[in-house]
Amino acid sequence: MTTPVLESPIFDPAETLPVPERRALQARRLAETVRRASAVPFYRDALGRAGATPEAIRAVDDVRRLPFTTKDDLRETYPLGLLAVPRGELARVHGSSGTTGKPTFVAYTRRDLDTWSGLVARFLVAGGLRPDHLVHVAFGYGLFTGGFGLHYGIERVGAAVVPAAGGNTPRQVMLIRDLGAEVLVCTPSYALHIAEVAAAEGFRPGDLPLRLGHFGGEPWTEEMRAAIESALGIRAFNNYGLSEVIGPGVSGECPYRTGMHVQEDHFLVECVDPDTLAHVPDGQVGELVFTTLTKEAMPVLRYRTRDLAALDRSPCPCGRTGVRMSRVVGRSDDMLIIRGVNVFPSQIEEALLRVEGTAPHYLIEVSRPGSLDEAVVKVEMRPSDFRDEMRQLQELHDRIDREIHAVTGVRMAVELVAPNTLERSAGKARRVLDHRRTG
């Protein structure tokens, strides 16, 4: 167990509700959510097909009688077909474009926004944020829920915000240095890019005033956490959310960092086999499924996230009683099958971060020029290693090749590329180009 270096004050007493009391609250809220959702034509029809009625929902386990909701359902009811309140009651609309198809929009009432900011405040406080801190937010501000979600959560705590948004990384470093921000909020891959730019400008780890980081928006590994902490001289915390459910604030880490506490008074979480949809035991990886319990504008029933993680109900020393979820180890729809072997991008990241001399920036390109799959992993070198002799570069290449094979069980071609060759983004990093799907 990791020994905390921070106190872990509780932002909301609901975080420490005794389990029986919380389950009773969940059951009441679940029944109310089903009643609210049954007023939406899509859900009224789906509930009818499932033979589920609001009156039949009396216990938490009755959630298994409800129909699943998918991202395709949101697209097919575009733009706001799942709205459960009159449009005049809306306070804000956000959206998620994804990578293909129509965007999916999500709506909020004033009460939803108040709930959302409180949920974000919970994990920020658990991860060390205090009212006297200055927080540098390098998420995009717009339809994406990350920027505004974190912004209002920070203000809910009472801390000050620098709404830097994304891009122009040298300017980000300047703002962090000159304004004295103690906390950084962005994607983990962008945090590493900020560290790279700072190092190129002569900053050593710990030179910047940053002391904490709250990172989300994309899966990342423990190895990447270690790389971020080493490069910036900070303590990094993971959080999880998705716009279809509410945005950031669904779960987040406490100082013990043994999983992210799910805010179970607002979300009912299940973990299922993505193929059979049967429930999987705690501790086993499966697909996360969420039902909102308090969302007014757009309640969702059993939303299939496609995110793969495990649940842990063992007690946490911090005193929070909600179930914890592991890191997202991959997505069921991002899993690559290469010559019959399941491979996740996070496995490549794990392998690369084991090898001294590589930067944690990579791109996997998969093709099928003949009858067999071919995979190439493009890996950036660090500037200091780019000038090495050919023999040293070959040794680096071979170490990467061995680690990728050890972690994934698959041989992939490794291509070393120059520093800053691969695309950087303040948003979610693009890790895979699967040409089999397009050609």
Side-chain angles (χ1 to χ4, degrees), residues 184-214:
L184 175 63
V185 168
C186 59
T187 62
S189 57
Y190 195 58
L192 279 171
H193 186 45
I194 289 174
E196 288 175 341
V197 172
E201 294 181 4
F203 291 97
R204 294 173 299 178
D207 282 352
L208 292 174
L210 295 173
R211 294 297 174 260
L212 298 170
H214 285 275

Side-chain angles (χ1 to χ4, degrees), residues 2-338:
T2 303
T3 302
V5 297
L6 302 168
E7 296 179 358
S8 184
I10 305 297
F11 181 79
D12 190 326
E15 297 176 71
T16 59
L17 279 176
V19 173
E21 186 176 337
R22 188 179 59 246
R23 283 184 68 84
L25 176 64
Q26 287 178 313
R28 293 195 301 272
R29 288 181 168 177
L30 177 61
E32 176 56 34
T33 291
V34 174
R35 280 193 290 273
R36 188 179 301 118
S38 63
V40 178
F42 169 83
Y43 277 127
R44 184 168 59 245
D45 294 344
L47 289 166
R49 290 192 297 272
T53 64
E55 294 73 26
I57 306 302
R58 297 187 177 90
V60 171
D61 288 345
D62 289 335
V63 71
R64 302 187 185 196
R65 306 174 63 176
L66 303 177
F68 288 97
T69 307
T70 67
K71 190 149 192 167
D72 284 342
D73 294 328
L74 273 69
R75 290 194 177 111
E76 289 170 8
T77 55
Y78 177 91
L80 294 172
L82 298 186
L83 201 61
V85 299
R87 290 177 69 98
E89 295 184 18
L90 296 185
R92 195 187 304 164
V93 174
H94 279 282
S96 173
S97 61
T99 55
T100 60
K102 290 181 178 179
T104 55
F105 290 116
V106 289
Y108 303 78
T109 64
R110 293 288 177 193
R111 185 176 176 183
D112 289 336
L113 293 178
D114 183 67
T115 297
W116 188 16
S117 65
L119 294 175
V120 173
R122 289 184 186 185
F123 77 72
L124 290 172
V125 168
L129 183 65
R130 301 295 177 263
D132 60 342
H133 282 158
L134 181 67
V135 186
H136 184 95
V137 178
F139 271 131
Y141 280 74
L143 286 177
F144 171 57
T145 55
F148 283 104
L150 269 296
H151 183 114
Y152 286 103
I154 293 162
E155 290 187 340
R156 184 74 172 265
V157 175
V161 184
V162 179
N168 197 344
T169 309
R171 183 171 178 268
Q172 303 268 1
V173 174
M174 179 193 74
L175 292 173
I176 292 168
R177 177 198 64 198
D178 294 350
L179 293 175
E182 297 98 340
V183 184
L184 175 63
V185 168
C186 59
T187 62
S189 57
Y190 195 58
L192 279 171
H193 186 45
I194 289 174
E196 288 175 341
V197 172
E201 294 181 4
F203 291 97
R204 294 173 299 178
D207 282 352
L208 292 174
L210 295 173
R211 294 297 174 260
L212 298 170
H214 285 275
F215 306 121
E218 62 188 16
W220 52 308
T221 60
E222 282 297 323
E223 288 80 6
M224 182 175 276
R225 190 204 306 258
I228 292 171
E229 292 186 334
S230 175
L232 287 174
I234 65 173
R235 189 166 170 82
F237 291 85
N238 195 7
N239 66 80
Y240 173 82
L242 60 166
S243 61
E244 295 85 357
V245 175
I246 200 168
V250 173
S251 67
E253 288 181 317
C254 71
Y256 288 87
R257 302 195 301 186
T258 55
M260 293 175 278
H261 292 270
V262 177
Q263 311 297 355
E264 286 196 277
D265 51 325
H266 291 272
F267 311 104
L268 191 58
V269 61
E270 304 170 78
C271 194
V272 304
D273 183 299
D275 296 320
T276 67
L277 300 182
H279 279 76
V280 302
D282 289 348
Q284 182 175 318
V285 171
E287 180 182 336
L288 298 178
V289 174
F290 285 97
T291 298
T292 63
L293 298 177
T294 55
K295 191 88 180 289
E296 290 184 335
M298 287 183 65
V300 291
L301 304 180
R302 305 191 81 189
Y303 183 76
R304 293 190 59 185
T305 66
R306 300 292 184 180
D307 291 327
L308 300 175
L311 298 180
D312 180 1
R313 298 182 195 277
S314 64
C316 182
C318 76
R320 293 170 179 84
T321 56
V323 64
R324 300 191 302 284
M325 57 175 276
S326 70
R327 288 184 173 277
V328 173
V329 299
R331 287 180 56 83
S332 60
D333 53 359
D334 281 352
M335 181 181 72
L336 295 168
I337 301 177
I338 301 174

Side-chain angles (χ1 to χ4, degrees), residues 372-436:
L372 295 177
D373 297 327
E374 293 185 3
V376 177
V377 182
K378 296 183 177 180
V379 183
E380 275 193 15
M381 290 179 289
R382 298 183 309 191
S384 58
D385 297 288
F386 187 57
R387 296 182 294 271
D388 285 348
E389 296 178 356
M390 184 61 69
R391 179 181 57 81
Q392 294 170 307
L393 293 180
Q394 185 61 48
E395 291 175 353
L396 176 61
H397 175 281
D398 293 345
R399 290 200 305 273
I400 294 171
D401 177 65
R402 287 194 298 271
E403 285 295 340
I404 290 176
H405 182 254
V407 172
T408 68
V410 176
R411 286 288 181 193
M412 301 184 186
V414 175
E415 181 180 333
L416 301 180
V417 299
N420 299 308
T421 301
L422 301 179
E423 180 183 357
R424 301 290 197 272
S425 172
K428 296 182 180 182
R430 188 179 190 185
R431 301 300 197 191
V432 178
L433 285 178
D434 193 343
H435 300 294
R436 298 172 302 178

